[in-house]
Structures are given as C-alpha cells and as structure tokens.
Coordinates of all heavy atoms in Angstrom, one line a residue:
M187 N 27.3 -255.8 -71.2 CA 26.3 -256.4 -72.1 C 26.9 -257.7 -72.7 O 28.1 -257.7 -73.1 CB 25.9 -255.4 -73.2 CG 24.9 -256.0 -74.1 SD 24.4 -254.7 -75.2 CE 22.7 -254.5 -74.6
S188 N 26.1 -258.7 -72.7 CA 26.6 -260.0 -73.2 C 26.1 -260.3 -74.7 O 25.0 -259.8 -75.1 CB 26.0 -261.1 -72.3 OG 26.2 -262.4 -72.9
A189 N 26.9 -261.0 -75.4 CA 26.6 -261.3 -76.8 C 25.5 -262.4 -76.8 O 24.9 -262.7 -77.8 CB 27.8 -261.7 -77.6
Q190 N 25.4 -263.2 -75.7 CA 24.5 -264.3 -75.6 C 23.1 -263.7 -75.2 O 23.0 -262.9 -74.2 CB 24.9 -265.3 -74.6 CG 26.1 -266.1 -75.1 CD 25.6 -267.3 -76.0 OE1 24.4 -267.6 -76.0 NE2 26.5 -267.9 -76.7
P191 N 22.0 -264.2 -75.8 CA 20.7 -263.8 -75.3 C 20.5 -264.4 -73.9 O 21.0 -265.4 -73.6 CB 19.7 -264.4 -76.3 CG 20.5 -264.8 -77.5 CD 21.9 -265.0 -77.0
D192 N 19.7 -263.7 -73.1 CA 19.5 -264.1 -71.7 C 18.8 -265.5 -71.7 O 19.0 -266.2 -70.7 CB 18.7 -263.1 -71.0 CG 19.4 -261.8 -70.7 OD1 20.7 -261.9 -70.7 OD2 18.8 -260.8 -70.5
H193 N 17.9 -265.8 -72.6 CA 17.1 -267.0 -72.6 C 17.8 -268.2 -73.2 O 17.3 -269.3 -73.1 CB 15.8 -266.7 -73.3 CG 15.9 -266.4 -74.7 ND1 16.3 -265.2 -75.2 CD2 15.9 -267.2 -75.8 CE1 16.4 -265.2 -76.5 NE2 16.1 -266.5 -76.9
A194 N 18.9 -268.1 -73.8 CA 19.6 -269.2 -74.5 C 20.7 -269.7 -73.6 O 21.7 -269.0 -73.3 CB 20.2 -268.7 -75.8
P195 N 20.5 -271.0 -73.1 CA 21.6 -271.6 -72.3 C 22.9 -271.8 -73.2 O 22.8 -272.1 -74.3 CB 21.0 -272.9 -71.9 CG 20.0 -273.2 -72.9 CD 19.4 -271.9 -73.4
V196 N 24.0 -271.7 -72.5 CA 25.3 -271.9 -73.2 C 25.5 -273.4 -73.2 O 25.5 -274.0 -72.2 CB 26.4 -271.1 -72.5 CG1 27.7 -271.4 -73.1 CG2 26.1 -269.6 -72.5
T197 N 25.8 -273.9 -74.4 CA 26.1 -275.3 -74.6 C 27.6 -275.5 -74.6 O 28.3 -274.9 -75.4 CB 25.5 -275.9 -75.9 OG1 24.1 -275.6 -75.9 CG2 25.7 -277.3 -76.0
T198 N 28.1 -276.3 -73.7 CA 29.5 -276.5 -73.6 C 30.0 -277.7 -74.4 O 31.2 -277.8 -74.6 CB 29.9 -276.8 -72.1 OG1 29.2 -277.9 -71.6 CG2 29.6 -275.6 -71.2
Y199 N 29.1 -278.5 -74.9 CA 29.5 -279.7 -75.6 C 28.6 -279.7 -76.9 O 27.4 -279.7 -76.8 CB 29.3 -280.9 -74.8 CG 29.4 -282.2 -75.6 CD1 30.6 -282.7 -76.0 CD2 28.2 -282.9 -76.0 CE1 30.7 -283.9 -76.7 CE2 28.3 -284.0 -76.8 CZ 29.6 -284.6 -77.1 OH 29.7 -285.7 -77.8
A200 N 29.3 -279.8 -78.0 CA 28.6 -280.0 -79.3 C 29.2 -281.2 -80.1 O 30.4 -281.1 -80.5 CB 28.6 -278.7 -80.1
P201 N 28.5 -282.3 -80.2 CA 29.1 -283.4 -80.9 C 29.3 -283.1 -82.4 O 28.6 -282.2 -82.9 CB 28.1 -284.5 -80.7 CG 26.8 -283.8 -80.5 CD 27.1 -282.5 -79.8
A202 N 30.1 -283.9 -83.1 CA 30.3 -283.7 -84.5 C 28.9 -284.0 -85.2 O 28.1 -284.8 -84.7 CB 31.3 -284.7 -85.0
P203 N 28.7 -283.4 -86.4 CA 27.4 -283.6 -87.1 C 27.1 -285.1 -87.3 O 25.9 -285.5 -87.3 CB 27.6 -282.9 -88.4 CG 28.7 -281.8 -88.1 CD 29.6 -282.5 -87.1
G204 N 28.1 -285.9 -87.5 CA 27.8 -287.3 -87.8 C 27.8 -288.2 -86.5 O 27.7 -289.4 -86.6
A205 N 28.0 -287.6 -85.4 CA 28.1 -288.4 -84.1 C 26.9 -289.3 -83.8 O 27.1 -290.4 -83.5 CB 28.4 -287.5 -82.9
P206 N 25.6 -288.8 -84.0 CA 24.5 -289.7 -83.7 C 24.5 -291.0 -84.6 O 24.2 -292.1 -84.1 CB 23.3 -288.8 -84.0 CG 23.8 -287.4 -83.8 CD 25.2 -287.4 -84.3
A207 N 24.8 -290.8 -85.9 CA 24.8 -292.0 -86.8 C 26.0 -292.9 -86.4 O 25.8 -294.1 -86.4 CB 25.0 -291.5 -88.3
E208 N 27.1 -292.4 -86.1 CA 28.2 -293.2 -85.7 C 27.9 -294.0 -84.4 O 28.2 -295.1 -84.2 CB 29.5 -292.4 -85.5 CG 30.1 -291.8 -86.8 CD 31.2 -290.8 -86.5 OE1 31.7 -290.8 -85.4 OE2 31.5 -290.1 -87.5
L209 N 27.3 -293.2 -83.5 CA 26.9 -293.8 -82.2 C 25.9 -295.0 -82.4 O 26.0 -296.0 -81.8 CB 26.3 -292.7 -81.3 CG 25.8 -293.1 -79.9 CD1 27.0 -293.6 -79.1 CD2 25.3 -291.9 -79.2
L210 N 24.9 -294.8 -83.3 CA 23.9 -295.8 -83.6 C 24.6 -297.0 -84.2 O 24.3 -298.2 -83.8 CB 22.8 -295.3 -84.5 CG 21.6 -296.2 -84.7 CD1 21.0 -296.6 -83.4 CD2 20.6 -295.5 -85.6
A211 N 25.6 -296.8 -85.1 CA 26.3 -297.9 -85.7 C 27.1 -298.7 -84.6 O 27.1 -299.9 -84.6 CB 27.3 -297.4 -86.7
Q212 N 27.7 -298.0 -83.6 CA 28.4 -298.7 -82.5 C 27.4 -299.4 -81.6 O 27.7 -300.6 -81.2 CB 29.1 -297.6 -81.7 CG 30.3 -297.0 -82.3 CD 31.0 -296.0 -81.4 OE1 30.3 -295.2 -80.7 NE2 32.3 -295.9 -81.4
L213 N 26.3 -298.9 -81.4 CA 25.3 -299.6 -80.6 C 24.8 -300.8 -81.3 O 24.6 -301.9 -80.6 CB 24.1 -298.6 -80.3 CG 24.4 -297.5 -79.3 CD1 23.2 -296.5 -79.3 CD2 24.7 -297.9 -78.0
R214 N 24.6 -300.8 -82.6 CA 24.1 -301.9 -83.3 C 25.1 -303.0 -83.3 O 24.8 -304.2 -83.4 CB 23.7 -301.5 -84.7 CG 22.4 -300.8 -84.8 CD 22.0 -300.4 -86.2 NE 20.7 -299.8 -86.2 CZ 20.3 -298.8 -87.0 NH1 21.2 -298.4 -87.9 NH2 19.1 -298.3 -86.9
A215 N 26.4 -302.7 -83.3 CA 27.5 -303.7 -83.3 C 27.8 -304.3 -81.9 O 28.5 -305.3 -81.8 CB 28.8 -303.0 -83.8
D216 N 27.2 -303.7 -80.9 CA 27.5 -304.1 -79.5 C 26.6 -305.4 -79.2 O 25.5 -305.6 -79.7 CB 27.1 -303.0 -78.5 CG 27.7 -303.3 -77.1 OD1 27.0 -303.9 -76.3 OD2 28.8 -302.8 -76.8
A217 N 27.1 -306.1 -78.2 CA 26.4 -307.3 -77.8 C 25.0 -307.0 -77.1 O 24.1 -307.8 -77.1 CB 27.2 -308.1 -76.8
R218 N 24.9 -305.8 -76.6 CA 23.7 -305.3 -76.0 C 22.7 -304.7 -76.9 O 21.8 -304.0 -76.5 CB 24.0 -304.3 -74.9 CG 24.9 -304.9 -73.8 CD 25.5 -303.7 -73.0 NE 26.6 -304.1 -72.1 CZ 27.8 -304.3 -72.5 NH1 28.2 -304.0 -73.7 NH2 28.7 -304.6 -71.6
A219 N 22.9 -304.8 -78.2 CA 22.1 -304.1 -79.2 C 20.6 -304.3 -79.1 O 19.8 -303.4 -79.3 CB 22.6 -304.5 -80.6
D220 N 20.2 -305.5 -78.7 CA 18.8 -305.8 -78.6 C 18.1 -304.8 -77.6 O 16.9 -304.5 -77.8 CB 18.5 -307.2 -78.1 CG 18.9 -308.2 -79.2 OD1 19.0 -307.8 -80.4 OD2 19.1 -309.4 -78.9
S221 N 18.8 -304.4 -76.6 CA 18.1 -303.5 -75.6 C 18.6 -302.1 -75.8 O 17.8 -301.1 -75.6 CB 18.4 -304.0 -74.2 OG 19.8 -304.0 -73.9
W222 N 19.9 -301.9 -76.2 CA 20.4 -300.5 -76.3 C 19.9 -299.7 -77.5 O 19.6 -298.6 -77.4 CB 21.9 -300.6 -76.3 CG 22.6 -300.7 -75.0 CD1 21.9 -301.1 -73.8 CD2 23.9 -300.5 -74.7 NE1 22.8 -301.1 -72.8 CE2 24.1 -300.7 -73.3 CE3 25.0 -300.1 -75.4 CZ2 25.3 -300.6 -72.6 CZ3 26.2 -300.0 -74.7 CH2 26.4 -300.2 -73.4
V223 N 19.7 -300.4 -78.6 CA 19.3 -299.7 -79.8 C 17.9 -299.1 -79.6 O 17.7 -297.9 -79.9 CB 19.4 -300.5 -81.1 CG1 18.7 -299.9 -82.3 CG2 20.9 -300.8 -81.4
P224 N 16.9 -299.9 -79.2 CA 15.6 -299.3 -79.0 C 15.6 -298.2 -77.9 O 14.9 -297.2 -78.1 CB 14.7 -300.5 -78.5 CG 15.4 -301.7 -79.0 CD 16.9 -301.3 -79.0
A225 N 16.4 -298.4 -76.9 CA 16.4 -297.4 -75.8 C 17.0 -296.1 -76.4 O 16.5 -295.0 -76.1 CB 17.2 -297.9 -74.6
F226 N 18.1 -296.2 -77.1 CA 18.7 -295.0 -77.8 C 17.7 -294.3 -78.7 O 17.5 -293.1 -78.7 CB 20.0 -295.3 -78.5 CG 20.5 -294.2 -79.4 CD1 21.2 -293.2 -78.8 CD2 20.3 -294.1 -80.7 CE1 21.7 -292.1 -79.5 CE2 20.7 -293.1 -81.5 CZ 21.4 -292.0 -80.9
E227 N 17.0 -295.1 -79.5 CA 16.1 -294.5 -80.5 C 14.9 -293.8 -79.8 O 14.4 -292.8 -80.3 CB 15.6 -295.6 -81.4 CG 16.7 -296.1 -82.4 CD 16.3 -297.2 -83.3 OE1 15.3 -298.0 -82.9 OE2 16.9 -297.4 -84.3
R228 N 14.4 -294.4 -78.7 CA 13.4 -293.7 -77.9 C 13.8 -292.4 -77.4 O 13.1 -291.4 -77.5 CB 12.9 -294.6 -76.8 CG 11.9 -295.7 -77.2 CD 11.3 -296.3 -76.0 NE 12.2 -296.9 -75.0 CZ 12.8 -298.1 -75.1 NH1 12.4 -298.9 -76.1 NH2 13.6 -298.5 -74.2
Q229 N 15.0 -292.4 -76.7 CA 15.6 -291.2 -76.2 C 15.8 -290.1 -77.3 O 15.6 -288.9 -77.1 CB 16.9 -291.4 -75.4 CG 16.6 -292.0 -74.0 CD 17.9 -292.1 -73.3 OE1 18.8 -292.8 -73.7 NE2 18.0 -291.4 -72.1
W230 N 16.4 -290.6 -78.4 CA 16.7 -289.7 -79.5 C 15.4 -289.0 -80.0 O 15.3 -287.8 -80.3 CB 17.4 -290.4 -80.6 CG 17.8 -289.5 -81.7 CD1 17.2 -289.3 -82.9 CD2 18.9 -288.5 -81.7 NE1 17.8 -288.4 -83.7 CE2 18.9 -287.9 -82.9 CE3 19.8 -288.2 -80.8 CZ2 19.8 -286.9 -83.3 CZ3 20.8 -287.2 -81.1 CH2 20.7 -286.6 -82.3
A231 N 14.3 -289.9 -80.2 CA 13.1 -289.4 -80.7 C 12.5 -288.3 -79.7 O 11.9 -287.3 -80.2 CB 12.1 -290.5 -80.9
A232 N 12.5 -288.6 -78.4 CA 12.0 -287.7 -77.5 C 12.8 -286.4 -77.5 O 12.2 -285.3 -77.4 CB 12.0 -288.3 -76.1
A233 N 14.1 -286.5 -77.6 CA 14.9 -285.3 -77.6 C 14.7 -284.5 -78.9 O 14.7 -283.2 -78.9 CB 16.4 -285.7 -77.4
L234 N 14.5 -285.2 -80.0 CA 14.2 -284.5 -81.2 C 12.9 -283.7 -81.2 O 12.8 -282.6 -81.6 CB 14.2 -285.5 -82.4 CG 14.2 -285.0 -83.8 CD1 15.4 -284.1 -84.1 CD2 14.2 -286.2 -84.8
E235 N 11.9 -284.3 -80.6 CA 10.6 -283.7 -80.4 C 10.8 -282.4 -79.5 O 10.2 -281.4 -79.8 CB 9.6 -284.6 -79.9 CG 8.2 -284.0 -79.8 CD 7.7 -283.5 -81.2 OE1 8.0 -284.2 -82.2 OE2 7.0 -282.5 -81.2
E236 N 11.5 -282.6 -78.4 CA 11.7 -281.5 -77.5 C 12.5 -280.3 -78.3 O 12.2 -279.2 -78.1 CB 12.5 -281.9 -76.3 CG 12.9 -280.8 -75.4 CD 13.9 -281.2 -74.3 OE1 14.0 -282.4 -74.1 OE2 14.4 -280.3 -73.7
S237 N 13.5 -280.7 -79.1 CA 14.2 -279.8 -79.9 C 13.4 -279.0 -80.8 O 13.5 -277.8 -81.0 CB 15.3 -280.5 -80.6 OG 16.1 -279.6 -81.4
R238 N 12.4 -279.7 -81.4 CA 11.5 -279.0 -82.3 C 10.6 -278.0 -81.6 O 10.3 -276.9 -82.1 CB 10.6 -280.0 -83.0 CG 11.4 -280.8 -84.1 CD 10.4 -281.8 -84.7 NE 11.2 -282.6 -85.7 CZ 11.0 -283.9 -85.9 NH1 10.2 -284.6 -85.2 NH2 11.7 -284.5 -86.8
R239 N 10.2 -278.3 -80.4 CA 9.4 -277.4 -79.6 C 10.2 -276.2 -79.0 O 9.6 -275.1 -79.0 CB 8.7 -278.2 -78.4 CG 7.5 -279.0 -78.8 CD 6.8 -279.6 -77.6 NE 7.7 -280.6 -76.8 CZ 8.3 -280.3 -75.7 NH1 8.1 -279.2 -75.1 NH2 9.0 -281.2 -75.1
T240 N 11.4 -276.5 -78.6 CA 12.1 -275.5 -77.9 C 13.2 -274.8 -78.7 O 13.8 -273.8 -78.3 CB 12.9 -276.1 -76.7 OG1 13.8 -277.1 -77.2 CG2 11.9 -276.7 -75.7
F241 N 13.4 -275.3 -79.9 CA 14.5 -274.7 -80.8 C 15.9 -274.8 -80.1 O 16.7 -273.9 -80.3 CB 14.2 -273.3 -81.2 CG 12.9 -273.1 -82.0 CD1 11.8 -272.7 -81.4 CD2 12.9 -273.5 -83.4 CE1 10.6 -272.6 -82.1 CE2 11.7 -273.4 -84.1 CZ 10.6 -272.9 -83.5
S242 N 16.1 -275.8 -79.3 CA 17.3 -276.0 -78.6 C 17.9 -277.4 -79.0 O 17.2 -278.4 -79.0 CB 17.1 -275.9 -77.1 OG 18.3 -276.3 -76.5
L243 N 19.2 -277.5 -79.2 CA 19.8 -278.7 -79.5 C 20.4 -279.4 -78.2 O 21.0 -280.5 -78.3 CB 21.0 -278.5 -80.5 CG 20.6 -278.0 -81.9 CD1 21.8 -277.7 -82.7 CD2 19.6 -279.0 -82.6
G244 N 20.2 -278.8 -77.1 CA 20.8 -279.3 -75.8 C 20.4 -280.7 -75.5 O 21.2 -281.5 -75.1
G245 N 19.1 -281.0 -75.7 CA 18.6 -282.3 -75.4 C 19.2 -283.4 -76.3 O 19.6 -284.5 -75.8
L246 N 19.4 -283.1 -77.6 CA 20.0 -284.0 -78.5 C 21.5 -284.2 -78.1 O 22.0 -285.4 -78.1 CB 19.9 -283.5 -79.9 CG 18.5 -283.4 -80.5 CD1 18.5 -282.6 -81.8 CD2 17.9 -284.7 -80.7
Y247 N 22.2 -283.1 -77.8 CA 23.6 -283.3 -77.3 C 23.7 -284.1 -76.1 O 24.6 -284.9 -76.0 CB 24.2 -281.9 -77.1 CG 24.3 -281.0 -78.2 CD1 24.6 -279.6 -78.1 CD2 24.1 -281.4 -79.6 CE1 24.8 -278.8 -79.1 CE2 24.3 -280.6 -80.6 CZ 24.6 -279.2 -80.4 OH 24.8 -278.4 -81.5
E248 N 22.7 -284.0 -75.2 CA 22.8 -284.7 -73.9 C 22.6 -286.2 -74.2 O 23.3 -287.1 -73.6 CB 21.7 -284.2 -73.0 CG 21.7 -284.9 -71.7 CD 22.9 -284.8 -70.9 OE1 23.6 -283.8 -71.0 OE2 23.3 -285.7 -70.1
V249 N 21.7 -286.6 -75.1 CA 21.5 -288.0 -75.5 C 22.8 -288.6 -76.1 O 23.2 -289.7 -75.7 CB 20.3 -288.1 -76.5 CG1 20.2 -289.6 -77.0 CG2 19.0 -287.8 -75.8
V250 N 23.4 -287.8 -77.0 CA 24.7 -288.3 -77.6 C 25.7 -288.5 -76.5 O 26.4 -289.5 -76.4 CB 25.1 -287.4 -78.7 CG1 26.5 -287.7 -79.1 CG2 24.2 -287.4 -79.9
R251 N 25.9 -287.5 -75.6 CA 26.9 -287.6 -74.6 C 26.6 -288.7 -73.6 O 27.6 -289.5 -73.3 CB 26.9 -286.2 -73.8 CG 28.0 -286.2 -72.8 CD 28.2 -284.9 -72.0 NE 26.9 -284.2 -71.7 CZ 26.6 -283.0 -72.1 NH1 27.5 -282.3 -72.9 NH2 25.5 -282.5 -71.8
E252 N 25.4 -288.9 -73.2 CA 25.1 -290.0 -72.3 C 25.4 -291.4 -72.9 O 26.0 -292.2 -72.3 CB 23.6 -289.9 -72.0 CG 23.1 -291.0 -71.1 CD 21.6 -290.9 -70.8 OE1 21.1 -289.8 -70.7 OE2 21.0 -292.0 -70.7
W253 N 25.0 -291.6 -74.2 CA 25.2 -292.9 -74.8 C 26.7 -293.1 -75.2 O 27.2 -294.2 -75.1 CB 24.3 -293.0 -76.0 CG 22.9 -293.4 -75.6 CD1 21.9 -292.6 -75.4 CD2 22.5 -294.7 -75.2 NE1 20.8 -293.3 -74.9 CE2 21.1 -294.6 -74.8 CE3 23.1 -296.0 -75.2 CZ2 20.4 -295.7 -74.4 CZ3 22.3 -297.1 -74.8 CH2 21.0 -296.9 -74.4
Q254 N 27.4 -292.0 -75.5 CA 28.9 -292.2 -75.7 C 29.5 -292.6 -74.4 O 30.4 -293.5 -74.4 CB 29.5 -290.9 -76.1 CG 29.2 -290.5 -77.6 CD 29.7 -289.2 -78.0 OE1 29.8 -288.2 -77.2 NE2 29.9 -289.0 -79.3
G255 N 29.0 -292.1 -73.3 CA 29.5 -292.5 -72.0 C 29.3 -294.0 -71.7 O 30.1 -294.7 -71.1
R256 N 28.1 -294.4 -72.0 CA 27.7 -295.8 -71.8 C 28.6 -296.8 -72.6 O 29.1 -297.8 -72.1 CB 26.2 -296.1 -72.2 CG 25.3 -295.6 -71.2 CD 23.9 -296.0 -71.5 NE 23.0 -295.4 -70.4 CZ 21.7 -295.2 -70.6 NH1 21.2 -295.4 -71.8 NH2 21.0 -294.7 -69.7
I257 N 28.8 -296.4 -73.9 CA 29.7 -297.3 -74.7 C 31.1 -297.2 -74.2 O 31.8 -298.3 -74.1 CB 29.6 -296.8 -76.2 CG1 28.3 -297.2 -76.8 CG2 30.7 -297.4 -77.0 CD1 28.1 -296.7 -78.2
A258 N 31.6 -296.1 -73.8 CA 32.9 -296.0 -73.3 C 33.1 -296.8 -72.0 O 34.2 -297.4 -71.7 CB 33.3 -294.5 -73.0
S259 N 32.1 -296.8 -71.1 CA 32.3 -297.5 -69.8 C 31.9 -299.0 -69.9 O 32.2 -299.7 -68.9 CB 31.4 -296.8 -68.8 OG 30.0 -296.9 -69.1
A260 N 31.3 -299.4 -71.0 CA 30.9 -300.8 -71.1 C 32.0 -301.8 -70.9 O 31.8 -302.8 -70.2 CB 30.2 -301.1 -72.4
P261 N 33.2 -301.7 -71.5 CA 34.3 -302.6 -71.3 C 34.7 -302.7 -69.8 O 34.9 -303.8 -69.3 CB 35.4 -302.1 -72.1 CG 34.8 -301.3 -73.2 CD 33.6 -300.7 -72.5
G262 N 34.7 -301.6 -69.1 CA 35.0 -301.6 -67.6 C 33.9 -302.4 -66.8 O 34.3 -303.1 -65.9
V263 N 32.7 -302.2 -67.2 CA 31.6 -302.9 -66.5 C 31.7 -304.4 -66.8 O 31.5 -305.2 -65.9 CB 30.2 -302.3 -66.9 CG1 29.1 -303.2 -66.4 CG2 30.1 -300.9 -66.5
D264 N 31.9 -304.7 -68.1 CA 32.1 -306.1 -68.4 C 33.2 -306.8 -67.7 O 33.1 -307.9 -67.2 CB 32.3 -306.3 -69.9 CG 31.1 -305.9 -70.7 OD1 30.0 -305.9 -70.2 OD2 31.2 -305.6 -72.0
A265 N 34.3 -306.1 -67.6 CA 35.5 -306.6 -66.8 C 35.2 -306.8 -65.4 O 35.6 -307.8 -64.8 CB 36.7 -305.7 -67.0
F266 N 34.5 -305.9 -64.8 CA 34.1 -306.0 -63.4 C 33.2 -307.2 -63.2 O 33.4 -308.0 -62.2 CB 33.3 -304.7 -62.9 CG 32.8 -304.8 -61.5 CD1 33.7 -304.6 -60.4 CD2 31.5 -305.1 -61.3 CE1 33.2 -304.7 -59.1 CE2 31.0 -305.2 -60.0 CZ 31.8 -305.0 -58.9
V267 N 32.2 -307.4 -64.0 CA 31.3 -308.5 -63.9 C 32.0 -309.8 -64.1 O 31.8 -310.8 -63.4 CB 30.1 -308.4 -64.9 CG1 29.3 -309.6 -64.9 CG2 29.2 -307.2 -64.5
A268 N 32.9 -309.9 -65.1 CA 33.7 -311.1 -65.4 C 34.7 -311.4 -64.3 O 35.1 -312.6 -64.1 CB 34.4 -310.9 -66.7
S269 N 35.1 -310.4 -63.5 CA 36.1 -310.7 -62.5 C 35.6 -311.5 -61.3 O 36.4 -312.0 -60.5 CB 36.7 -309.3 -61.9 OG 35.7 -308.7 -61.1
G270 N 34.3 -311.6 -61.2 CA 33.7 -312.3 -60.1 C 33.8 -311.6 -58.8 O 33.6 -312.2 -57.7
Y271 N 34.0 -310.3 -58.8 CA 34.1 -309.5 -57.6 C 32.9 -309.7 -56.8 O 31.8 -309.5 -57.3 CB 34.4 -308.0 -58.0 CG 34.5 -307.2 -56.7 CD1 35.7 -307.1 -56.0 CD2 33.5 -306.4 -56.3 CE1 35.8 -306.3 -54.9 CE2 33.6 -305.6 -55.2 CZ 34.7 -305.5 -54.5 OH 34.8 -304.8 -53.4
D272 N 33.1 -310.0 -55.5 CA 31.9 -310.2 -54.6 C 31.5 -308.8 -54.0 O 32.2 -308.2 -53.2 CB 32.3 -311.1 -53.5 CG 31.2 -311.4 -52.5 OD1 30.0 -311.1 -52.9 OD2 31.5 -311.8 -51.4
D273 N 30.4 -308.3 -54.5 CA 29.9 -307.1 -53.9 C 28.7 -307.3 -53.0 O 27.9 -306.4 -52.8 CB 29.5 -306.1 -55.1 CG 28.4 -306.6 -55.9 OD1 28.0 -307.8 -55.8 OD2 27.9 -305.8 -56.7
S274 N 28.6 -308.4 -52.4 CA 27.5 -308.7 -51.5 C 27.6 -307.9 -50.2 O 26.6 -307.8 -49.5 CB 27.5 -310.2 -51.2 OG 28.7 -310.6 -50.5
D275 N 28.7 -307.4 -49.9 CA 28.9 -306.5 -48.7 C 28.5 -305.1 -49.0 O 28.7 -304.2 -48.2 CB 30.2 -306.6 -48.1 CG 31.3 -306.1 -49.1 OD1 31.1 -306.0 -50.3 OD2 32.4 -305.9 -48.6
F276 N 27.9 -304.8 -50.2 CA 27.5 -303.5 -50.5 C 26.5 -302.9 -49.5 O 25.6 -303.6 -49.0 CB 26.8 -303.5 -51.9 CG 26.1 -302.3 -52.3 CD1 26.9 -301.2 -52.8 CD2 24.8 -302.1 -52.3 CE1 26.3 -300.0 -53.2 CE2 24.2 -301.0 -52.7 CZ 24.9 -299.9 -53.1
I277 N 26.7 -301.7 -49.2 CA 25.8 -301.0 -48.2 C 24.8 -300.2 -49.0 O 25.2 -299.3 -49.8 CB 26.6 -300.1 -47.2 CG1 27.5 -301.0 -46.4 CG2 25.6 -299.4 -46.3 CD1 28.5 -300.2 -45.6
D278 N 23.5 -300.4 -48.8 CA 22.5 -299.7 -49.5 C 22.2 -298.4 -48.6 O 21.6 -298.5 -47.6 CB 21.2 -300.5 -49.6 CG 20.1 -299.8 -50.4 OD1 20.3 -298.6 -50.7 OD2 19.1 -300.4 -50.7
M279 N 22.7 -297.3 -49.1 CA 22.6 -296.1 -48.3 C 21.2 -295.6 -48.1 O 20.8 -295.1 -47.1 CB 23.4 -294.9 -49.0 CG 24.9 -295.2 -49.0 SD 25.6 -295.5 -47.3 CE 25.4 -293.9 -46.5
V280 N 20.3 -295.9 -49.1 CA 18.9 -295.5 -48.9 C 18.3 -296.3 -47.8 O 17.6 -295.8 -47.0 CB 18.1 -295.7 -50.3 CG1 16.6 -295.5 -50.1 CG2 18.7 -294.8 -51.3
E281 N 18.6 -297.6 -47.8 CA 18.0 -298.5 -46.8 C 18.6 -298.0 -45.4 O 17.9 -298.0 -44.4 CB 18.4 -299.9 -47.0 CG 17.9 -300.9 -46.0 CD 18.3 -302.3 -46.3 OE1 18.5 -302.6 -47.5 OE2 18.3 -303.1 -45.4
L282 N 19.9 -297.7 -45.4 CA 20.5 -297.3 -44.1 C 19.8 -296.0 -43.6 O 19.6 -295.9 -42.4 CB 22.0 -297.1 -44.3 CG 22.8 -296.8 -43.1 CD1 22.8 -297.9 -42.1 CD2 24.2 -296.5 -43.5
R283 N 19.6 -295.0 -44.5 CA 18.9 -293.8 -44.1 C 17.5 -294.0 -43.5 O 17.1 -293.4 -42.6 CB 18.9 -292.8 -45.2 CG 20.2 -292.1 -45.4 CD 20.1 -291.0 -46.5 NE 21.3 -291.0 -47.2 CZ 21.4 -291.3 -48.5 NH1 20.4 -291.5 -49.2 NH2 22.6 -291.3 -49.1
T284 N 16.8 -294.9 -44.2 CA 15.4 -295.1 -43.8 C 15.3 -295.8 -42.4 O 14.4 -295.6 -41.7 CB 14.6 -295.9 -44.8 OG1 15.2 -297.1 -45.1 CG2 14.4 -295.1 -46.1
K285 N 16.3 -296.6 -42.1 CA 16.3 -297.3 -40.8 C 16.6 -296.4 -39.7 O 16.1 -296.6 -38.6 CB 17.4 -298.4 -40.8 CG 16.9 -299.7 -41.6 CD 18.0 -300.7 -41.5 CE 17.5 -302.0 -42.3 NZ 18.5 -303.0 -42.2
R286 N 17.4 -295.3 -40.0 CA 17.7 -294.3 -38.9 C 16.5 -293.4 -38.7 O 16.4 -292.8 -37.6 CB 18.9 -293.5 -39.3 CG 20.2 -294.2 -39.3 CD 21.3 -293.3 -39.3 NE 21.3 -292.6 -40.6 CZ 22.2 -291.7 -41.0 NH1 23.1 -291.3 -40.1 NH2 22.1 -291.1 -42.1
L287 N 15.6 -293.3 -39.6 CA 14.5 -292.4 -39.4 C 13.5 -293.0 -38.5 O 12.9 -293.0 -37.7 CB 13.9 -292.0 -40.8 CG 14.8 -291.2 -41.7 CD1 14.1 -291.0 -43.0 CD2 15.2 -289.9 -41.1

C-alpha cells in the first residue's frame, strides 16, 4: 500500500516559495524583457488558473522550471550567436523525412 493517493502525481521538483518573484525580477532585468516578461506572465496566469481547477501545483512548477532554464541558457545562446558560427549547412530533418515519403 502506498502513502501517495493514486490520483496525485508525484512532483519531483518544487521551487522555493519566492522563486517566481525572483524569476520575474531576473526576466525584467534581462535585455529580452520586452518579450519575455509578457510571455512569462501569460504562462504563469494560465498555470495558475489550471492550478485552481485541478488543485495541483505541477503546472506552476513547470513554468518556473522552464523559465529558469531559459535564463540559464541565454548566455550560451548569446555567445553562439555572437560567435558568427555558420549554421547554414543545418539539415532540416522534417524536410528530409518528407522528401523520402
């Protein structure tokens, strides 16, 4: 017998209580704030509404985790773009698959 109810998914990640506010402050300080802040706020509002309906914090945790990942990877993306790396030889796998069909 399990201590967990059958209908409750196990959450493996739970951000600190202040994580959403800290995340929003980081987003507002970023150069991409004009596009990132409204996108985060839309996702957060949708996850909050879902949380109210389902009594689950999983969606809110997912939004925080996703945006923390974006902020963490942004310097690497910026460095890649600034390096001038030529990715024109990129192979579009979707295009390749549709040509074979």
Side-chain angles (χ1 to χ4, degrees):
M187 179 174 252
S188 172
Q190 286 280 343
D192 291 338
H193 63 279
V196 176
T197 303
T198 58
Y199 167 80
E208 292 171 14
L209 183 59
L210 188 55
Q212 288 177 323
L213 291 172
R214 286 182 175 145
D216 194 274
R218 301 164 191 84
D220 291 343
S221 61
W222 278 15
V223 170
F226 171 78
E227 289 174 340
R228 279 191 304 274
Q229 282 186 298
W230 183 258
L234 189 58
E235 186 57 36
E236 177 188 345
S237 177
R238 288 180 180 140
R239 283 186 293 105
T240 63
F241 298 100
S242 171
L243 299 175
L246 294 169
Y247 294 169
E248 181 63 30
V249 170
V250 170
R251 183 175 40 238
E252 178 182 326
W253 282 94
Q254 286 174 333
R256 283 186 182 155
I257 288 176
S259 63
V263 172
D264 291 343
F266 175 79
V267 171
S269 73
Y271 180 77
D272 179 19
D273 64 348
S274 62
D275 61 343
F276 171 76
I277 298 173
D278 185 353
M279 294 305 291
V280 173
E281 182 181 336
L282 186 63
R283 280 189 217 115
T284 57
K285 285 183 179 181
R286 287 194 299 177
L287 298 175

